[in-house]
PDB file of all heavy atoms in Angstrom:
ATOM      1  N   LEU A1073     161.017 103.602 112.465  1.00 78.00           N
ATOM      2  CA  LEU A1073     160.599 102.203 112.459  1.00 78.00           C
ATOM      3  C   LEU A1073     159.203 102.017 113.053  1.00 78.00           C
ATOM      4  O   LEU A1073     158.464 101.119 112.638  1.00 78.00           O
ATOM      5  CB  LEU A1073     161.607 101.350 113.238  1.00 78.00           C
ATOM      6  CG  LEU A1073     162.971 101.126 112.580  1.00 78.00           C
ATOM      7  CD1 LEU A1073     163.893 100.367 113.524  1.00 78.00           C
ATOM      8  CD2 LEU A1073     162.825 100.363 111.269  1.00 78.00           C
ATOM      9  N   LEU A1074     158.845 102.878 113.999  1.00 82.00           N
ATOM     10  CA  LEU A1074     157.553 102.723 114.674  1.00 82.00           C
ATOM     11  C   LEU A1074     156.396 103.329 113.882  1.00 82.00           C
ATOM     12  O   LEU A1074     155.247 102.920 114.084  1.00 82.00           O
ATOM     13  CB  LEU A1074     157.612 103.384 116.061  1.00 82.00           C
ATOM     14  CG  LEU A1074     158.495 102.706 117.109  1.00 82.00           C
ATOM     15  CD1 LEU A1074     158.508 103.525 118.383  1.00 82.00           C
ATOM     16  CD2 LEU A1074     158.017 101.291 117.378  1.00 82.00           C
ATOM     17  N   ILE A1075     156.670 104.280 113.007  1.00 82.00           N
ATOM     18  CA  ILE A1075     155.585 104.968 112.292  1.00 82.00           C
ATOM     19  C   ILE A1075     154.735 104.004 111.471  1.00 82.00           C
ATOM     20  O   ILE A1075     153.503 103.989 111.605  1.00 82.00           O
ATOM     21  CB  ILE A1075     156.158 106.109 111.424  1.00 82.00           C
ATOM     22  CG1 ILE A1075     156.588 107.272 112.323  1.00 82.00           C
ATOM     23  CG2 ILE A1075     155.128 106.587 110.407  1.00 82.00           C
ATOM     24  CD1 ILE A1075     157.246 108.412 111.582  1.00 82.00           C
ATOM     25  N   PRO A1076     155.309 103.152 110.605  1.00 83.00           N
ATOM     26  CA  PRO A1076     154.451 102.227 109.848  1.00 83.00           C
ATOM     27  C   PRO A1076     153.843 101.132 110.716  1.00 83.00           C
ATOM     28  O   PRO A1076     152.737 100.670 110.442  1.00 83.00           O
ATOM     29  CB  PRO A1076     155.402 101.635 108.803  1.00 83.00           C
ATOM     30  CG  PRO A1076     156.763 101.755 109.398  1.00 83.00           C
ATOM     31  CD  PRO A1076     156.724 103.012 110.198  1.00 83.00           C
ATOM     32  N   LEU A1077     154.552 100.730 111.788  1.00 80.00           N
ATOM     33  CA  LEU A1077     154.031  99.659 112.638  1.00 80.00           C
ATOM     34  C   LEU A1077     152.812 100.118 113.429  1.00 80.00           C
ATOM     35  O   LEU A1077     151.891  99.343 113.669  1.00 80.00           O
ATOM     36  CB  LEU A1077     155.124  99.181 113.601  1.00 80.00           C
ATOM     37  CG  LEU A1077     154.768  97.971 114.468  1.00 80.00           C
ATOM     38  CD1 LEU A1077     154.598  96.730 113.608  1.00 80.00           C
ATOM     39  CD2 LEU A1077     155.853  97.735 115.518  1.00 80.00           C
ATOM     40  N   PHE A1078     152.795 101.380 113.831  1.00 82.00           N
ATOM     41  CA  PHE A1078     151.681 101.918 114.602  1.00 82.00           C
ATOM     42  C   PHE A1078     150.616 102.553 113.710  1.00 82.00           C
ATOM     43  O   PHE A1078     149.542 102.902 114.204  1.00 82.00           O
ATOM     44  CB  PHE A1078     152.183 102.969 115.598  1.00 82.00           C
ATOM     45  CG  PHE A1078     152.871 102.396 116.807  1.00 82.00           C
ATOM     46  CD1 PHE A1078     153.499 101.162 116.760  1.00 82.00           C
ATOM     47  CD2 PHE A1078     152.895 103.089 117.999  1.00 82.00           C
ATOM     48  CE1 PHE A1078     154.134 100.644 117.869  1.00 82.00           C
ATOM     49  CE2 PHE A1078     153.529 102.577 119.117  1.00 82.00           C
ATOM     50  CZ  PHE A1078     154.156 101.356 119.050  1.00 82.00           C
ATOM     51  N   GLY A1079     150.910 102.742 112.433  1.00 83.00           N
ATOM     52  CA  GLY A1079     149.955 103.417 111.550  1.00 83.00           C
ATOM     53  C   GLY A1079     149.807 104.893 111.893  1.00 83.00           C
ATOM     54  O   GLY A1079     148.716 105.462 111.765  1.00 83.00           O
ATOM     55  N   ILE A1080     150.905 105.536 112.315  1.00 82.00           N
ATOM     56  CA  ILE A1080     150.846 106.935 112.720  1.00 82.00           C
ATOM     57  C   ILE A1080     150.480 107.839 111.542  1.00 82.00           C
ATOM     58  O   ILE A1080     149.894 108.916 111.724  1.00 82.00           O
ATOM     59  CB  ILE A1080     152.202 107.372 113.336  1.00 82.00           C
ATOM     60  CG1 ILE A1080     152.528 106.488 114.553  1.00 82.00           C
ATOM     61  CG2 ILE A1080     152.191 108.829 113.742  1.00 82.00           C
ATOM     62  CD1 ILE A1080     151.476 106.543 115.639  1.00 82.00           C
ATOM     63  N   HIS A1081     150.785 107.425 110.330  1.00 80.00           N
ATOM     64  CA  HIS A1081     150.484 108.262 109.158  1.00 80.00           C
ATOM     65  C   HIS A1081     148.985 108.468 108.978  1.00 80.00           C
ATOM     66  O   HIS A1081     148.561 109.405 108.294  1.00 80.00           O
ATOM     67  CB  HIS A1081     151.086 107.633 107.901  1.00 80.00           C
ATOM     68  CG  HIS A1081     150.651 106.226 107.646  1.00 80.00           C
ATOM     69  ND1 HIS A1081     151.171 105.155 108.363  1.00 80.00           N
ATOM     70  CD2 HIS A1081     149.755 105.699 106.797  1.00 80.00           C
ATOM     71  CE1 HIS A1081     150.607 104.049 107.943  1.00 80.00           C
ATOM     72  NE2 HIS A1081     149.731 104.347 106.995  1.00 80.00           N
ATOM     73  N   TYR A1082     148.170 107.607 109.582  1.00 84.00           N
ATOM     74  CA  TYR A1082     146.720 107.777 109.453  1.00 84.00           C
ATOM     75  C   TYR A1082     146.211 109.005 110.199  1.00 84.00           C
ATOM     76  O   TYR A1082     145.093 109.471 109.937  1.00 84.00           O
ATOM     77  CB  TYR A1082     145.986 106.536 109.979  1.00 84.00           C
ATOM     78  CG  TYR A1082     146.124 105.323 109.098  1.00 84.00           C
ATOM     79  CD1 TYR A1082     146.705 104.153 109.577  1.00 84.00           C
ATOM     80  CD2 TYR A1082     145.677 105.339 107.779  1.00 84.00           C
ATOM     81  CE1 TYR A1082     146.838 103.037 108.772  1.00 84.00           C
ATOM     82  CE2 TYR A1082     145.804 104.225 106.973  1.00 84.00           C
ATOM     83  CZ  TYR A1082     146.387 103.076 107.469  1.00 84.00           C
ATOM     84  OH  TYR A1082     146.527 101.967 106.664  1.00 84.00           O
ATOM     85  N   THR A1083     146.997 109.521 111.139  1.00 82.00           N
ATOM     86  CA  THR A1083     146.561 110.700 111.890  1.00 82.00           C
ATOM     87  C   THR A1083     146.545 111.960 111.034  1.00 82.00           C
ATOM     88  O   THR A1083     145.979 112.980 111.443  1.00 82.00           O
ATOM     89  CB  THR A1083     147.477 110.934 113.102  1.00 82.00           C
ATOM     90  OG1 THR A1083     148.835 111.102 112.648  1.00 82.00           O
ATOM     91  CG2 THR A1083     147.423 109.759 114.060  1.00 82.00           C
ATOM     92  N   VAL A1084     147.166 111.922 109.851  1.00 76.00           N
ATOM     93  CA  VAL A1084     147.225 113.110 108.998  1.00 76.00           C
ATOM     94  C   VAL A1084     145.820 113.577 108.627  1.00 76.00           C
ATOM     95  O   VAL A1084     145.504 114.774 108.679  1.00 76.00           O
ATOM     96  CB  VAL A1084     148.050 112.820 107.730  1.00 76.00           C
ATOM     97  CG1 VAL A1084     148.026 114.019 106.786  1.00 76.00           C
ATOM     98  CG2 VAL A1084     149.487 112.466 108.101  1.00 76.00           C
ATOM     99  N   PHE A1085     144.937 112.629 108.229  1.00 73.00           N
ATOM    100  CA  PHE A1085     143.576 112.983 107.830  1.00 73.00           C
ATOM    101  C   PHE A1085     142.514 112.379 108.746  1.00 73.00           C
ATOM    102  O   PHE A1085     141.326 112.490 108.449  1.00 73.00           O
ATOM    103  CB  PHE A1085     143.301 112.506 106.396  1.00 73.00           C
ATOM    104  CG  PHE A1085     144.112 113.219 105.357  1.00 73.00           C
ATOM    105  CD1 PHE A1085     145.184 112.588 104.743  1.00 73.00           C
ATOM    106  CD2 PHE A1085     143.809 114.515 104.996  1.00 73.00           C
ATOM    107  CE1 PHE A1085     145.936 113.236 103.781  1.00 73.00           C
ATOM    108  CE2 PHE A1085     144.559 115.173 104.037  1.00 73.00           C
ATOM    109  CZ  PHE A1085     145.625 114.541 103.427  1.00 73.00           C
ATOM    110  N   ALA A1086     142.926 111.753 109.839  1.00 74.00           N
ATOM    111  CA  ALA A1086     141.963 111.000 110.650  1.00 74.00           C
ATOM    112  C   ALA A1086     140.864 111.879 111.224  1.00 74.00           C
ATOM    113  O   ALA A1086     139.685 111.502 111.242  1.00 74.00           O
ATOM    114  CB  ALA A1086     142.694 110.267 111.779  1.00 74.00           C
ATOM    115  N   PHE A1087     141.213 113.063 111.704  1.00 71.00           N
ATOM    116  CA  PHE A1087     140.245 113.889 112.416  1.00 71.00           C
ATOM    117  C   PHE A1087     139.807 115.113 111.616  1.00 71.00           C
ATOM    118  O   PHE A1087     139.188 116.021 112.160  1.00 71.00           O
ATOM    119  CB  PHE A1087     140.835 114.324 113.757  1.00 71.00           C
ATOM    120  CG  PHE A1087     141.228 113.166 114.629  1.00 71.00           C
ATOM    121  CD1 PHE A1087     142.547 112.744 114.709  1.00 71.00           C
ATOM    122  CD2 PHE A1087     140.268 112.469 115.346  1.00 71.00           C
ATOM    123  CE1 PHE A1087     142.906 111.672 115.505  1.00 71.00           C
ATOM    124  CE2 PHE A1087     140.625 111.385 116.142  1.00 71.00           C
ATOM    125  CZ  PHE A1087     141.934 110.994 116.225  1.00 71.00           C
ATOM    126  N   SER A1088     140.140 115.141 110.338  1.00 68.00           N
ATOM    127  CA  SER A1088     139.664 116.226 109.483  1.00 68.00           C
ATOM    128  C   SER A1088     138.347 115.818 108.829  1.00 68.00           C
ATOM    129  O   SER A1088     138.101 114.629 108.615  1.00 68.00           O
ATOM    130  CB  SER A1088     140.710 116.547 108.403  1.00 68.00           C
ATOM    131  OG  SER A1088     140.916 115.421 107.569  1.00 68.00           O
TER     132      SER A1088
END
Side-chain angles (χ1 to χ4, degrees):
L1073 289 175
L1074 291 177
I1075 287 176
L1077 185 67
F1078 284 26
I1080 301 301
H1081 56 283
Y1082 289 120
T1083 58
V1084 176
F1085 293 106
F1087 302 99
S1088 62

